[in-house]
Amino acid sequence: MSERPTGAGPAGGYRPAVVPVSTYRFQVQPAFTFDDAAAQAAHLRRLGASHAYLSPVLAPAKGSTHGYDVVDHARLNPEAGGREGFDRLAAALREQGLAAVADVVPNHMAVPTPASDNAQLWSVLKEGPRSPFARWFDVDWSVPDRAILMAVLGQRIGQVLAAGELSLDEAEVGGARERVLRYYDHVFPVRPGTEDLPLAQLVDRQWYRLAHWRVADEELNYRRFFDVDTLAAIRVEDREVFDASHALLLELVGRGDLQGLRIDHPDGLADPRGYLRWLAEATAGATGDGSAWVVVEKILEGDEALPRDWACAGTTGYDALHRVGGLFLDPAGAEPLTEQYVAVTGETGTFQAVVDHAKREVVEHGLYAEVHRLVDLLSGICHDDVDLRDHTRRGLHECVVELLVAFHQYRAYVVPGEQAPEEAVRVVEGAAEHARAHLPEERHDTLGVVVDLALGRAGSPEDRRVAEFVVRFQQTCGPVMAKGIEDTAFYRWFRLSSLNEVGGDPTRFGTAPEEFHSFCTVLARDWPAAMTTLSTHDTKRSEDVRARLSVLSERTEEWGAALARWRELAVEHRAAELDARTELLVWQTLFGTWGEGPINAERLLGYLQKATREAKDHTTWTAPDEVYEAAVERFATGVLGDEAVLAAVREFVELTADAARTAVLGQKFVQLAMPGVPDVYQGTELVDLSLVDPDNRRPVDYAERERRLAALDEGGAPRDLHDEKLLVVSRTLRVRREHAEHFVGEGADYSPVPTSSGNAVAFARGPVGAPAAVAVATRLPVALERLGGWGEHTLALPAGSWVDAFTGARVDGGTVRVADVLSALPVALLVRAG
């Protein structure tokens, strides 16, 4: 690990006391406990990682396999071993010279079943706004019945009462017996003084309103995470809430058990900048020696930059993921793949049109309650200002809808009471320009009012509703982006599904080496301790599935022919209900996940159910279409059971195997060697062909990984692509650890290394004048082969003598043939000898 990296970094003097050299992600859950993670401490050390990166460690809802549904900030996950298990993990890591970083969920808590598992929420449900925890939750108490909507009923409340499905009962809450209102597995508190009322009156007198589950999207009155009713937002902008919800984490930071924090969804917070400043101050106070290393799960759209006034080390790496993956995409494949997509599906619309349509659906349906709250605020503000009174509620609603649909990033960065930054003004006014084209002229003035209020440059500064609108508008932009693009449009448009990735843009096809070098130069200068990643718990496909699919950009003609052949062979499995887009997704998924053979039916069917329901074209989570889903299942199982089809797919897999190998090894190596702190997602030190969660939370066979690594360390040659990837990962991480100062320390510079071929990307790490390591990777191998291979293409190595960390081969500096450097593998890590 390295001490306090230099670089421009964020404003405000934020400097972490310790920066990881690399991290290894563990998904802690009941099936993989703190003790299970502790058992892999030695493997992490041998692999070369410096830190275990843990999914959320605080107590989540019972049975949670992801941990982002925290119910108790004062306890460590009891189903993963609790405090005792965590302490054993911390001790095991220290014994190996390692440490830990952990995921933090500041934006929301679970609304669990039973609700009594969340003590703060239970108190508010019982005592309403008088509860000492009322300030924890973002509740609109102005609704007519002054009650929190609990939309959990299977039918309308009147029907539930008539059916006798609600009853008074007793349950243990916080160690004591208490009267409760029971609805199957749900229990709710009884407001003191209402216990003896007739049941219907009792239900009506509570600080919560029981309702049919479909009511939530229209009348929910607490802020939630995206459109998930069971995740209620908390108000960490209140210092009391911040302190209480972070006390245990800060204790672990102070003990040295945690040296870094990954912040989940900061865009949902009222004031991300303020939160990060508090966190930096609090962790510095806990350690007495600088702040904890903090990275934020921030999705940057297009050329958006992370705000420089955020007190953090950078993002969690989606921006790096797309640049690295783009290196292994051939831009020349964009047009033919588009033509094939149109020919197969008949869809001629652009991806942007798909996005706009999906966002509009989300704004007008799934997030109606959030939009309704924004319009309520605007309507009240305008009604009380005689100059604005003629802007009608309907007009305000139309303008808010269009502005949200047009907004192209997760939020602006406007703080109530402060002048909006120039960038925020540019973004909001740019969205307004797009929105204006979809509004009649008589609404343009109204749109101007909405924009001015969103930027905090209209309305009375004493009017709390103005400040609330500034904040809530920004908090609504993120859910519209996430639900509209990532969770809808990405499941509707499949020119090349590997581009449909979190924070990605499927219309940006490829990264030129020059663009990559520019990105890395800025990263090394401004955010040298940011995280980089290729696979996360949120990625739609693992890094290796995406690498496999990237080959299609170079084999477009062969892919088109193969696709036509497969579709012809599979005609008997294709029901009339199956649409061509879903079929195309099946074929891309089958190819991308092909290992020793095809993906098994259980995994494929689970993925296709999620993909088709997220698309919301034919079936949804809330209204599944059994006929359509049966057609999808029939096709998928038919294909998996058809030997002629599988033989044809296997033939194409073999045709593309060499190019896939180059992409798999190349993109992982580049991610590990580039500026930043690289993360290795659990199990991906070998080739991993996982799909979106929960598929990527399957158990990892660590015994196999340990056996393979031991064989390599004993001098054995790689036997297959799994071994080759493990060799690349372990040797690169070890070089980083042994020469940490050249990768994350004061001398961790980045400089492009000239090559005479665009099929090689090379860069040096360490001081520009005397770098310590040079990374060389092959890109676009099919095009390279068509051009006759490396031939006499050269690489301009810095002066000195170099040793390849993968093969042990020695290379002298100066102009060298690329073919000599990459004779054994498509990648090379040259370390300065001595």
Side-chain angles (χ1 to χ4, degrees), residues 225-228 355 358-359 361-363 366-367 410 476-492 614-616 621:
F225 173 73
F226 295 166
D227 63 350
V228 184
V355 167
K359 289 171 72 176
E361 289 178 4
V362 167
V363 168
L367 294 176
Y410 272 64
T476 307
C477 291
V480 173
M481 290 288 291
K483 300 307 297 181
I485 299 177
E486 292 174 25
D487 292 343
T488 304
F490 278 0
Y491 288 101
R492 290 181 176 178
E614 293 285 7
K616 299 176 266 299
W621 293 107

PDB file of all heavy atoms in Angstrom, residues 225-228 355 358-359 361-363 366-367 410 476-492 614-616 621:
ATOM      1  N   PHE A 225     -35.114   4.391  -3.144  1.00  0.00           N
ATOM      2  CA  PHE A 225     -34.019   4.148  -4.072  1.00  0.00           C
ATOM      3  C   PHE A 225     -34.625   3.767  -5.420  1.00  0.00           C
ATOM      4  O   PHE A 225     -35.271   2.723  -5.547  1.00  0.00           O
ATOM      5  CB  PHE A 225     -33.119   3.032  -3.551  1.00  0.00           C
ATOM      6  CG  PHE A 225     -32.063   2.592  -4.529  1.00  0.00           C
ATOM      7  CD1 PHE A 225     -30.971   3.396  -4.800  1.00  0.00           C
ATOM      8  CD2 PHE A 225     -32.169   1.374  -5.182  1.00  0.00           C
ATOM      9  CE1 PHE A 225     -30.002   3.004  -5.708  1.00  0.00           C
ATOM     10  CE2 PHE A 225     -31.199   0.967  -6.086  1.00  0.00           C
ATOM     11  CZ  PHE A 225     -30.110   1.782  -6.348  1.00  0.00           C
ATOM     12  N   PHE A 226     -34.419   4.627  -6.421  1.00  0.00           N
ATOM     13  CA  PHE A 226     -35.004   4.430  -7.742  1.00  0.00           C
ATOM     14  C   PHE A 226     -36.515   4.196  -7.603  1.00  0.00           C
ATOM     15  O   PHE A 226     -37.217   5.005  -7.050  1.00  0.00           O
ATOM     16  CB  PHE A 226     -34.294   3.321  -8.498  1.00  0.00           C
ATOM     17  CG  PHE A 226     -32.859   3.632  -8.828  1.00  0.00           C
ATOM     18  CD1 PHE A 226     -31.981   2.646  -9.250  1.00  0.00           C
ATOM     19  CD2 PHE A 226     -32.355   4.918  -8.686  1.00  0.00           C
ATOM     20  CE1 PHE A 226     -30.658   2.943  -9.559  1.00  0.00           C
ATOM     21  CE2 PHE A 226     -31.041   5.228  -8.998  1.00  0.00           C
ATOM     22  CZ  PHE A 226     -30.190   4.229  -9.434  1.00  0.00           C
ATOM     23  N   ASP A 227     -37.005   3.020  -8.069  1.00  0.00           N
ATOM     24  CA  ASP A 227     -38.429   2.736  -7.917  1.00  0.00           C
ATOM     25  C   ASP A 227     -38.661   1.554  -6.990  1.00  0.00           C
ATOM     26  O   ASP A 227     -39.683   0.867  -7.072  1.00  0.00           O
ATOM     27  CB  ASP A 227     -39.063   2.471  -9.286  1.00  0.00           C
ATOM     28  CG  ASP A 227     -38.470   1.240  -9.977  1.00  0.00           C
ATOM     29  OD1 ASP A 227     -37.443   0.710  -9.493  1.00  0.00           O
ATOM     30  OD2 ASP A 227     -39.024   0.811 -11.004  1.00  0.00           O
ATOM     31  N   VAL A 228     -37.723   1.326  -6.075  1.00  0.00           N
ATOM     32  CA  VAL A 228     -37.793   0.168  -5.190  1.00  0.00           C
ATOM     33  C   VAL A 228     -38.445   0.584  -3.870  1.00  0.00           C
ATOM     34  O   VAL A 228     -37.817   1.244  -3.026  1.00  0.00           O
ATOM     35  CB  VAL A 228     -36.398  -0.427  -4.933  1.00  0.00           C
ATOM     36  CG1 VAL A 228     -36.511  -1.693  -4.093  1.00  0.00           C
ATOM     37  CG2 VAL A 228     -35.694  -0.718  -6.262  1.00  0.00           C
ATOM     38  N   VAL A 355     -34.080   5.233 -25.986  1.00  0.00           N
ATOM     39  CA  VAL A 355     -33.839   5.828 -24.672  1.00  0.00           C
ATOM     40  C   VAL A 355     -34.937   6.830 -24.326  1.00  0.00           C
ATOM     41  O   VAL A 355     -35.502   6.802 -23.220  1.00  0.00           O
ATOM     42  CB  VAL A 355     -32.457   6.509 -24.630  1.00  0.00           C
ATOM     43  CG1 VAL A 355     -32.327   7.404 -23.396  1.00  0.00           C
ATOM     44  CG2 VAL A 355     -31.353   5.464 -24.644  1.00  0.00           C
ATOM     45  N   ALA A 358     -38.142   5.075 -23.485  1.00  0.00           N
ATOM     46  CA  ALA A 358     -38.060   4.366 -22.206  1.00  0.00           C
ATOM     47  C   ALA A 358     -38.094   5.340 -21.035  1.00  0.00           C
ATOM     48  O   ALA A 358     -38.782   5.102 -20.031  1.00  0.00           O
ATOM     49  CB  ALA A 358     -36.788   3.519 -22.161  1.00  0.00           C
ATOM     50  N   LYS A 359     -37.355   6.440 -21.130  1.00  0.00           N
ATOM     51  CA  LYS A 359     -37.352   7.428 -20.046  1.00  0.00           C
ATOM     52  C   LYS A 359     -38.734   8.040 -19.851  1.00  0.00           C
ATOM     53  O   LYS A 359     -39.167   8.292 -18.724  1.00  0.00           O
ATOM     54  CB  LYS A 359     -36.305   8.504 -20.321  1.00  0.00           C
ATOM     55  CG  LYS A 359     -34.872   8.010 -20.177  1.00  0.00           C
ATOM     56  CD  LYS A 359     -33.857   9.026 -20.655  1.00  0.00           C
ATOM     57  CE  LYS A 359     -33.727  10.199 -19.737  1.00  0.00           C
ATOM     58  NZ  LYS A 359     -32.658  11.126 -20.188  1.00  0.00           N
ATOM     59  N   GLU A 361     -41.586   6.574 -20.421  1.00  0.00           N
ATOM     60  CA  GLU A 361     -42.391   5.572 -19.719  1.00  0.00           C
ATOM     61  C   GLU A 361     -42.110   5.604 -18.222  1.00  0.00           C
ATOM     62  O   GLU A 361     -43.028   5.553 -17.395  1.00  0.00           O
ATOM     63  CB  GLU A 361     -42.079   4.167 -20.257  1.00  0.00           C
ATOM     64  CG  GLU A 361     -42.587   3.889 -21.650  1.00  0.00           C
ATOM     65  CD  GLU A 361     -42.190   2.499 -22.114  1.00  0.00           C
ATOM     66  OE1 GLU A 361     -41.585   1.747 -21.314  1.00  0.00           O
ATOM     67  OE2 GLU A 361     -42.463   2.160 -23.275  1.00  0.00           O
ATOM     68  N   VAL A 362     -40.825   5.679 -17.880  1.00  0.00           N
ATOM     69  CA  VAL A 362     -40.437   5.682 -16.474  1.00  0.00           C
ATOM     70  C   VAL A 362     -40.975   6.921 -15.766  1.00  0.00           C
ATOM     71  O   VAL A 362     -41.518   6.841 -14.654  1.00  0.00           O
ATOM     72  CB  VAL A 362     -38.900   5.613 -16.357  1.00  0.00           C
ATOM     73  CG1 VAL A 362     -38.439   5.930 -14.936  1.00  0.00           C
ATOM     74  CG2 VAL A 362     -38.404   4.234 -16.771  1.00  0.00           C
ATOM     75  N   VAL A 363     -40.826   8.075 -16.394  1.00  0.00           N
ATOM     76  CA  VAL A 363     -41.273   9.336 -15.783  1.00  0.00           C
ATOM     77  C   VAL A 363     -42.791   9.350 -15.606  1.00  0.00           C
ATOM     78  O   VAL A 363     -43.304   9.808 -14.570  1.00  0.00           O
ATOM     79  CB  VAL A 363     -40.819  10.530 -16.642  1.00  0.00           C
ATOM     80  CG1 VAL A 363     -41.508  11.808 -16.207  1.00  0.00           C
ATOM     81  CG2 VAL A 363     -39.313  10.695 -16.552  1.00  0.00           C
ATOM     82  N   GLY A 366     -43.552   4.599 -13.705  1.00  0.00           N
ATOM     83  CA  GLY A 366     -42.810   4.075 -12.559  1.00  0.00           C
ATOM     84  C   GLY A 366     -42.404   5.113 -11.537  1.00  0.00           C
ATOM     85  O   GLY A 366     -42.324   4.826 -10.336  1.00  0.00           O
ATOM     86  N   LEU A 367     -42.134   6.343 -11.979  1.00  0.00           N
ATOM     87  CA  LEU A 367     -41.705   7.399 -11.067  1.00  0.00           C
ATOM     88  C   LEU A 367     -42.750   8.513 -10.988  1.00  0.00           C
ATOM     89  O   LEU A 367     -42.420   9.662 -10.694  1.00  0.00           O
ATOM     90  CB  LEU A 367     -40.353   7.967 -11.522  1.00  0.00           C
ATOM     91  CG  LEU A 367     -39.166   6.988 -11.448  1.00  0.00           C
ATOM     92  CD1 LEU A 367     -37.917   7.636 -12.013  1.00  0.00           C
ATOM     93  CD2 LEU A 367     -38.915   6.523 -10.016  1.00  0.00           C
ATOM     94  N   TYR A 410     -26.752  11.955 -14.605  1.00  0.00           N
ATOM     95  CA  TYR A 410     -27.447  11.512 -13.401  1.00  0.00           C
ATOM     96  C   TYR A 410     -27.890  12.646 -12.490  1.00  0.00           C
ATOM     97  O   TYR A 410     -28.788  12.469 -11.684  1.00  0.00           O
ATOM     98  CB  TYR A 410     -26.581  10.514 -12.635  1.00  0.00           C
ATOM     99  CG  TYR A 410     -26.810   9.100 -13.103  1.00  0.00           C
ATOM    100  CD1 TYR A 410     -26.495   8.724 -14.406  1.00  0.00           C
ATOM    101  CD2 TYR A 410     -27.371   8.156 -12.269  1.00  0.00           C
ATOM    102  CE1 TYR A 410     -26.724   7.442 -14.854  1.00  0.00           C
ATOM    103  CE2 TYR A 410     -27.605   6.867 -12.703  1.00  0.00           C
ATOM    104  CZ  TYR A 410     -27.280   6.512 -13.996  1.00  0.00           C
ATOM    105  OH  TYR A 410     -27.528   5.244 -14.444  1.00  0.00           O
ATOM    106  N   THR A 476     -34.160  13.150  -8.549  1.00  0.00           N
ATOM    107  CA  THR A 476     -35.047  12.420  -9.461  1.00  0.00           C
ATOM    108  C   THR A 476     -34.372  12.129 -10.797  1.00  0.00           C
ATOM    109  O   THR A 476     -34.712  11.148 -11.470  1.00  0.00           O
ATOM    110  CB  THR A 476     -36.347  13.214  -9.688  1.00  0.00           C
ATOM    111  OG1 THR A 476     -36.933  13.535  -8.423  1.00  0.00           O
ATOM    112  CG2 THR A 476     -37.356  12.426 -10.504  1.00  0.00           C
ATOM    113  N   CYS A 477     -33.411  12.955 -11.179  1.00  0.00           N
ATOM    114  CA  CYS A 477     -32.727  12.739 -12.462  1.00  0.00           C
ATOM    115  C   CYS A 477     -32.055  11.368 -12.512  1.00  0.00           C
ATOM    116  O   CYS A 477     -32.130  10.665 -13.531  1.00  0.00           O
ATOM    117  CB  CYS A 477     -31.684  13.829 -12.695  1.00  0.00           C
ATOM    118  SG  CYS A 477     -32.372  15.464 -12.990  1.00  0.00           S
ATOM    119  N   GLY A 478     -31.392  10.970 -11.434  1.00  0.00           N
ATOM    120  CA  GLY A 478     -30.684   9.686 -11.414  1.00  0.00           C
ATOM    121  C   GLY A 478     -31.591   8.500 -11.635  1.00  0.00           C
ATOM    122  O   GLY A 478     -31.306   7.635 -12.482  1.00  0.00           O
ATOM    123  N   PRO A 479     -32.690   8.378 -10.891  1.00  0.00           N
ATOM    124  CA  PRO A 479     -33.608   7.266 -11.141  1.00  0.00           C
ATOM    125  C   PRO A 479     -34.152   7.230 -12.567  1.00  0.00           C
ATOM    126  O   PRO A 479     -34.352   6.153 -13.132  1.00  0.00           O
ATOM    127  CB  PRO A 479     -34.727   7.517 -10.121  1.00  0.00           C
ATOM    128  CG  PRO A 479     -34.050   8.228  -9.000  1.00  0.00           C
ATOM    129  CD  PRO A 479     -33.014   9.105  -9.652  1.00  0.00           C
ATOM    130  N   VAL A 480     -34.414   8.387 -13.153  1.00  0.00           N
ATOM    131  CA  VAL A 480     -34.899   8.407 -14.540  1.00  0.00           C
ATOM    132  C   VAL A 480     -33.834   7.837 -15.472  1.00  0.00           C
ATOM    133  O   VAL A 480     -34.130   7.035 -16.372  1.00  0.00           O
ATOM    134  CB  VAL A 480     -35.285   9.834 -14.963  1.00  0.00           C
ATOM    135  CG1 VAL A 480     -35.632   9.883 -16.451  1.00  0.00           C
ATOM    136  CG2 VAL A 480     -36.468  10.331 -14.138  1.00  0.00           C
ATOM    137  N   MET A 481     -32.579   8.249 -15.265  1.00  0.00           N
ATOM    138  CA  MET A 481     -31.488   7.731 -16.088  1.00  0.00           C
ATOM    139  C   MET A 481     -31.323   6.223 -15.886  1.00  0.00           C
ATOM    140  O   MET A 481     -31.256   5.449 -16.853  1.00  0.00           O
ATOM    141  CB  MET A 481     -30.190   8.443 -15.736  1.00  0.00           C
ATOM    142  CG  MET A 481     -30.116   9.893 -16.162  1.00  0.00           C
ATOM    143  SD  MET A 481     -29.949  10.091 -17.956  1.00  0.00           S
ATOM    144  CE  MET A 481     -28.286   9.442 -18.201  1.00  0.00           C
ATOM    145  N   ALA A 482     -31.256   5.805 -14.630  1.00  0.00           N
ATOM    146  CA  ALA A 482     -30.982   4.400 -14.345  1.00  0.00           C
ATOM    147  C   ALA A 482     -32.106   3.488 -14.819  1.00  0.00           C
ATOM    148  O   ALA A 482     -31.865   2.473 -15.485  1.00  0.00           O
ATOM    149  CB  ALA A 482     -30.745   4.212 -12.846  1.00  0.00           C
ATOM    150  N   LYS A 483     -33.336   3.842 -14.476  1.00  0.00           N
ATOM    151  CA  LYS A 483     -34.451   2.981 -14.854  1.00  0.00           C
ATOM    152  C   LYS A 483     -34.768   3.086 -16.338  1.00  0.00           C
ATOM    153  O   LYS A 483     -35.177   2.104 -16.961  1.00  0.00           O
ATOM    154  CB  LYS A 483     -35.693   3.336 -14.033  1.00  0.00           C
ATOM    155  CG  LYS A 483     -35.518   3.172 -12.534  1.00  0.00           C
ATOM    156  CD  LYS A 483     -35.012   1.800 -12.132  1.00  0.00           C
ATOM    157  CE  LYS A 483     -35.968   0.689 -12.493  1.00  0.00           C
ATOM    158  NZ  LYS A 483     -35.459  -0.652 -12.055  1.00  0.00           N
ATOM    159  N   GLY A 484     -34.578   4.273 -16.908  1.00  0.00           N
ATOM    160  CA  GLY A 484     -34.898   4.438 -18.316  1.00  0.00           C
ATOM    161  C   GLY A 484     -33.865   3.827 -19.240  1.00  0.00           C
ATOM    162  O   GLY A 484     -34.203   3.198 -20.247  1.00  0.00           O
ATOM    163  N   ILE A 485     -32.589   4.006 -18.898  1.00  0.00           N
ATOM    164  CA  ILE A 485     -31.526   3.538 -19.789  1.00  0.00           C
ATOM    165  C   ILE A 485     -31.027   2.157 -19.375  1.00  0.00           C
ATOM    166  O   ILE A 485     -31.192   1.174 -20.094  1.00  0.00           O
ATOM    167  CB  ILE A 485     -30.360   4.550 -19.824  1.00  0.00           C
ATOM    168  CG1 ILE A 485     -30.859   5.900 -20.342  1.00  0.00           C
ATOM    169  CG2 ILE A 485     -29.235   4.039 -20.730  1.00  0.00           C
ATOM    170  CD1 ILE A 485     -29.809   6.988 -20.352  1.00  0.00           C
ATOM    171  N   GLU A 486     -30.411   2.074 -18.194  1.00  0.00           N
ATOM    172  CA  GLU A 486     -29.779   0.811 -17.801  1.00  0.00           C
ATOM    173  C   GLU A 486     -30.776  -0.330 -17.651  1.00  0.00           C
ATOM    174  O   GLU A 486     -30.473  -1.477 -18.003  1.00  0.00           O
ATOM    175  CB  GLU A 486     -29.029   1.001 -16.487  1.00  0.00           C
ATOM    176  CG  GLU A 486     -27.812   1.897 -16.597  1.00  0.00           C
ATOM    177  CD  GLU A 486     -27.207   2.171 -15.233  1.00  0.00           C
ATOM    178  OE1 GLU A 486     -27.402   1.349 -14.319  1.00  0.00           O
ATOM    179  OE2 GLU A 486     -26.560   3.211 -15.079  1.00  0.00           O
ATOM    180  N   ASP A 487     -31.958  -0.028 -17.087  1.00  0.00           N
ATOM    181  CA  ASP A 487     -32.896  -1.099 -16.768  1.00  0.00           C
ATOM    182  C   ASP A 487     -34.062  -1.204 -17.751  1.00  0.00           C
ATOM    183  O   ASP A 487     -35.001  -1.952 -17.499  1.00  0.00           O
ATOM    184  CB  ASP A 487     -33.434  -0.909 -15.351  1.00  0.00           C
ATOM    185  CG  ASP A 487     -32.353  -1.120 -14.305  1.00  0.00           C
ATOM    186  OD1 ASP A 487     -31.317  -1.706 -14.642  1.00  0.00           O
ATOM    187  OD2 ASP A 487     -32.540  -0.683 -13.153  1.00  0.00           O
ATOM    188  N   THR A 488     -34.002  -0.457 -18.832  1.00  0.00           N
ATOM    189  CA  THR A 488     -35.029  -0.606 -19.869  1.00  0.00           C
ATOM    190  C   THR A 488     -34.398  -0.587 -21.261  1.00  0.00           C
ATOM    191  O   THR A 488     -34.387  -1.594 -21.966  1.00  0.00           O
ATOM    192  CB  THR A 488     -36.105   0.492 -19.755  1.00  0.00           C
ATOM    193  OG1 THR A 488     -36.673   0.472 -18.436  1.00  0.00           O
ATOM    194  CG2 THR A 488     -37.222   0.238 -20.760  1.00  0.00           C
ATOM    195  N   ALA A 489     -33.857   0.569 -21.662  1.00  0.00           N
ATOM    196  CA  ALA A 489     -33.337   0.685 -23.029  1.00  0.00           C
ATOM    197  C   ALA A 489     -32.233  -0.327 -23.314  1.00  0.00           C
ATOM    198  O   ALA A 489     -32.149  -0.863 -24.426  1.00  0.00           O
ATOM    199  CB  ALA A 489     -32.822   2.108 -23.267  1.00  0.00           C
ATOM    200  N   PHE A 490     -31.379  -0.597 -22.325  1.00  0.00           N
ATOM    201  CA  PHE A 490     -30.290  -1.564 -22.537  1.00  0.00           C
ATOM    202  C   PHE A 490     -30.820  -2.974 -22.775  1.00  0.00           C
ATOM    203  O   PHE A 490     -30.077  -3.836 -23.247  1.00  0.00           O
ATOM    204  CB  PHE A 490     -29.353  -1.580 -21.334  1.00  0.00           C
ATOM    205  CG  PHE A 490     -28.325  -0.469 -21.354  1.00  0.00           C
ATOM    206  CD1 PHE A 490     -28.268   0.453 -22.376  1.00  0.00           C
ATOM    207  CD2 PHE A 490     -27.397  -0.353 -20.319  1.00  0.00           C
ATOM    208  CE1 PHE A 490     -27.329   1.470 -22.387  1.00  0.00           C
ATOM    209  CE2 PHE A 490     -26.444   0.657 -20.326  1.00  0.00           C
ATOM    210  CZ  PHE A 490     -26.413   1.567 -21.352  1.00  0.00           C
ATOM    211  N   TYR A 491     -32.067  -3.217 -22.432  1.00  0.00           N
ATOM    212  CA  TYR A 491     -32.668  -4.528 -22.668  1.00  0.00           C
ATOM    213  C   TYR A 491     -33.587  -4.519 -23.894  1.00  0.00           C
ATOM    214  O   TYR A 491     -34.327  -5.474 -24.119  1.00  0.00           O
ATOM    215  CB  TYR A 491     -33.451  -4.973 -21.432  1.00  0.00           C
ATOM    216  CG  TYR A 491     -32.561  -5.357 -20.273  1.00  0.00           C
ATOM    217  CD1 TYR A 491     -32.330  -4.495 -19.212  1.00  0.00           C
ATOM    218  CD2 TYR A 491     -31.946  -6.609 -20.239  1.00  0.00           C
ATOM    219  CE1 TYR A 491     -31.518  -4.849 -18.154  1.00  0.00           C
ATOM    220  CE2 TYR A 491     -31.130  -6.979 -19.183  1.00  0.00           C
ATOM    221  CZ  TYR A 491     -30.913  -6.091 -18.139  1.00  0.00           C
ATOM    222  OH  TYR A 491     -30.108  -6.454 -17.090  1.00  0.00           O
ATOM    223  N   ARG A 492     -33.514  -3.432 -24.669  1.00  0.00           N
ATOM    224  CA  ARG A 492     -34.374  -3.333 -25.857  1.00  0.00           C
ATOM    225  C   ARG A 492     -33.590  -3.192 -27.156  1.00  0.00           C
ATOM    226  O   ARG A 492     -34.189  -3.273 -28.228  1.00  0.00           O
ATOM    227  CB  ARG A 492     -35.303  -2.120 -25.715  1.00  0.00           C
ATOM    228  CG  ARG A 492     -36.381  -2.253 -24.666  1.00  0.00           C
ATOM    229  CD  ARG A 492     -37.270  -1.016 -24.610  1.00  0.00           C
ATOM    230  NE  ARG A 492     -38.370  -1.181 -23.671  1.00  0.00           N
ATOM    231  CZ  ARG A 492     -39.266  -0.254 -23.400  1.00  0.00           C
ATOM    232  NH1 ARG A 492     -39.198   0.939 -24.017  1.00  0.00           N
ATOM    233  NH2 ARG A 492     -40.242  -0.483 -22.536  1.00  0.00           N
ATOM    234  N   GLU A 614     -37.235  -6.759 -17.670  1.00  0.00           N
ATOM    235  CA  GLU A 614     -36.674  -5.409 -17.594  1.00  0.00           C
ATOM    236  C   GLU A 614     -36.988  -4.619 -18.860  1.00  0.00           C
ATOM    237  O   GLU A 614     -37.209  -3.406 -18.817  1.00  0.00           O
ATOM    238  CB  GLU A 614     -35.156  -5.472 -17.382  1.00  0.00           C
ATOM    239  CG  GLU A 614     -34.721  -6.036 -16.039  1.00  0.00           C
ATOM    240  CD  GLU A 614     -34.921  -5.080 -14.889  1.00  0.00           C
ATOM    241  OE1 GLU A 614     -35.524  -4.015 -15.075  1.00  0.00           O
ATOM    242  OE2 GLU A 614     -34.480  -5.399 -13.776  1.00  0.00           O
ATOM    243  N   ALA A 615     -37.021  -5.295 -20.007  1.00  0.00           N
ATOM    244  CA  ALA A 615     -37.333  -4.610 -21.265  1.00  0.00           C
ATOM    245  C   ALA A 615     -38.749  -4.041 -21.252  1.00  0.00           C
ATOM    246  O   ALA A 615     -39.019  -2.992 -21.854  1.00  0.00           O
ATOM    247  CB  ALA A 615     -37.168  -5.564 -22.443  1.00  0.00           C
ATOM    248  N   LYS A 616     -39.662  -4.769 -20.590  1.00  0.00           N
ATOM    249  CA  LYS A 616     -41.039  -4.280 -20.426  1.00  0.00           C
ATOM    250  C   LYS A 616     -41.777  -4.124 -21.749  1.00  0.00           C
ATOM    251  O   LYS A 616     -42.740  -3.355 -21.845  1.00  0.00           O
ATOM    252  CB  LYS A 616     -41.054  -2.963 -19.617  1.00  0.00           C
ATOM    253  CG  LYS A 616     -40.499  -3.108 -18.208  1.00  0.00           C
ATOM    254  CD  LYS A 616     -40.421  -1.787 -17.458  1.00  0.00           C
ATOM    255  CE  LYS A 616     -39.081  -1.123 -17.560  1.00  0.00           C
ATOM    256  NZ  LYS A 616     -37.923  -1.802 -17.061  1.00  0.00           N
ATOM    257  N   TRP A 621     -42.158  -7.415 -14.528  1.00  0.00           N
ATOM    258  CA  TRP A 621     -42.127  -8.019 -13.200  1.00  0.00           C
ATOM    259  C   TRP A 621     -43.507  -7.967 -12.547  1.00  0.00           C
ATOM    260  O   TRP A 621     -43.890  -8.889 -11.818  1.00  0.00           O
ATOM    261  CB  TRP A 621     -41.112  -7.299 -12.312  1.00  0.00           C
ATOM    262  CG  TRP A 621     -39.690  -7.482 -12.736  1.00  0.00           C
ATOM    263  CD1 TRP A 621     -38.875  -6.576 -13.326  1.00  0.00           C
ATOM    264  CD2 TRP A 621     -38.907  -8.681 -12.597  1.00  0.00           C
ATOM    265  NE1 TRP A 621     -37.634  -7.124 -13.578  1.00  0.00           N
ATOM    266  CE2 TRP A 621     -37.625  -8.408 -13.140  1.00  0.00           C
ATOM    267  CE3 TRP A 621     -39.166  -9.955 -12.086  1.00  0.00           C
ATOM    268  CZ2 TRP A 621     -36.602  -9.365 -13.159  1.00  0.00           C
ATOM    269  CZ3 TRP A 621     -38.151 -10.910 -12.109  1.00  0.00           C
ATOM    270  CH2 TRP A 621     -36.884 -10.616 -12.640  1.00  0.00           C
TER     271      TRP A 621
END
